[in-house]
Each structure stands twice: as structure tokens, then as C-alpha cells.
Amino acid sequence: MVVVNTTNHGGPNAYLVDALAAADPSARLRAALAAGTGRDPGLTEILVARCAVEPDFFVRDMLTWSLCRLPAEITVPRLVQELGSGTAQARSQALHTLSKIGDRLAWPAVSALLHDEHDEVARSAWRAAVALVPPDDEVALAADLATELGRGDRDMQLSLSRALVALGDAVLPVLDAAGASPDPRMRAHADATKQLCHDPDSAFTLSLEMAKRVAVTGPDT
């Protein structure tokens, strides 16, 4: 567990620094809300550092909201720096926040984490990449993301499929190519993703399981 030193050294936001590390998650949530409401760039470091260790989902979401309200020229470089952290949650939350800010200056650093060994970081990178991909780079991103087809469990695969579908028509030739892969998991995932492209309301689990059976046994079984 990483411990953030939030020891209060005085200043106008001293109470917020202490409250962001309080034992009560409700107190931390209120502190994160107050930080975003006040929009003081001086809190950037403590907010980013807290994202790396905050155990409560709702507090993390409020921390992201607060960071999004600060000047991007201050937060984006700090969040990009956080992408090099050895802590998976730090990388994942920084990716999530960068996707919400929407500054394409973060694109090179975000795209470098598409194949992160930690599943949650990779999922966050996929979502962020779709949000930040430069115009006309969608095909290249789709091809890069397609190399991850077949990775992980059902939820992991659904996350990748949704990222690919969000790229629009650029993804269809890539999925066609992946459908000819010698890897049955990749073929099955590509087929299920194509179904999702054509029918976003389709049952992904059913499509994936059917595609897996066809990929392994052949269409005539």
C-alpha cells in the first residue's frame, strides 16, 4: 500500500489537505467536492497523489471532477507524469482523468499504455485512447487495439469491444482481418465485436460464447 503524506503545513487549503486523508469516506468526498468548487491550482499535487491511493470509487470520481476544473496546462503535464507511476491505480486514475479533460497533448503517453500488463490500466488506456485519438488516426488505433482481442475475461473483452466500436467504420476492416487469426480466442472476440458494431444492443455474452464455439469447432459442427 502506498501512503500519501498529507501532513498539514499551513496555508489557505490546509483543512482540505487533512480532510482528503480523513478516515471517513464521506469527509473525503466533501473535501474533494470543496477542492473542485474552489478551483485552486495549488491543490493539483495533493489531488493527483490522492487518486493513487483512494479506495472509494465515489471519492475517486470526485477527485477526477475536481482535477477537470483546474487549468489543463497545470493538470495535464502532472497527470502525464503519473502515467509512469509504478502503482497501477495511479496510472489507471490518471488515464481516466485525462480522458475526461480531453487534451490531445496527452495522446502519446496514453497510447503507450494500451498494452499495460495490469488489466485495469489497459482498460482505462483503451477508453482514454478512443477519447483522445487525433483525427485520421482511428484506423491505426483500431489496428493497435485489435492485437488485444481475446485478452482477459468477459468484462475485459467487452471493454475492448466497446472501445473498438466507438471508433466507427474504421474498425470493420481490422475486425475482418482479426477474424482470420489462427488464435480461436481472437477470432471469437473479433466476431462478437462485429456483432456489437452492427447491433449495439445485442447480448455481447451470447455473441461471444457462440463465436467461441464456432471458432473452436468450426461452423458446421
Side-chain angles (χ1 to χ4, degrees):
M1 175 179 177
V2 178
V3 177
V4 175
N5 182 4
T6 56
T7 302
N8 180 359
H9 296 294
N13 291 311
Y15 75 99
L16 285 179
V17 174
D18 289 339
L20 285 168
D24 181 6
S26 296
R28 300 198 303 275
L29 185 67
R30 290 192 296 271
L33 173 62
T37 302
R39 305 178 72 168
D40 182 354
L43 286 171
T44 300
E45 183 60 37
I46 187 62
L47 291 172
V48 172
R50 187 66 208 175
C51 284
V53 297
E54 173 55 53
D56 187 274
F57 169 81
F58 296 104
V59 179
R60 290 199 304 273
D61 210 39
M62 189 63 74
L63 291 168
T64 284
W65 175 80
S66 298
L67 285 164
C68 288
R69 290 175 57 81
L70 300 180
E73 61 268 23
I74 294 174
T75 56
V76 170
R78 179 61 185 87
L79 290 165
V80 167
Q81 178 186 351
E82 195 75 349
L83 297 183
S85 170
T87 303
Q89 182 173 306
R91 300 196 303 279
S92 178
Q93 196 66 23
L95 286 162
H96 174 64
T97 306
L98 286 167
S99 75
K100 296 298 183 182
I101 294 173
D103 191 326
R104 286 198 170 104
L105 289 176
W107 166 250
V110 168
S111 61
L113 294 181
L114 294 176
H115 310 292
D116 195 280
E117 63 182 13
H118 192 282
D119 284 353
E120 194 53 44
V121 176
R123 291 172 67 173
S124 296
W126 299 340
R127 291 189 291 264
V130 169
L132 299 176
V133 61
D136 302 322
D137 278 4
E138 290 89 351
V139 173
L141 174 58
D144 201 3
L145 289 175
T147 64
E148 293 286 303
L149 286 166
R151 174 177 174 176
D153 60 12
R154 182 260 183 196
D155 288 340
M156 184 79 173
Q157 293 188 20
L158 179 56
S159 291
L160 179 58
S161 292
R162 285 174 171 163
L164 287 164
V165 169
L167 294 173
D169 291 343
V171 76
L172 294 176
V174 173
L175 292 174
D176 287 339
S181 168
D183 182 345
R185 284 179 59 84
M186 180 175 282
R187 294 199 306 273
H189 194 180
D191 288 344
T193 305
K194 279 199 292 186
Q195 176 63 31
L196 205 60
C197 286
H198 299 310
D199 181 7
D201 296 323
S202 65
F204 178 80
T205 300
L206 180 60
S207 297
L208 183 60
E209 291 306 316
M210 184 177 297
K212 282 180 179 177
R213 287 197 296 271
V214 171
V216 173
T217 63
D220 298 325
T221 300

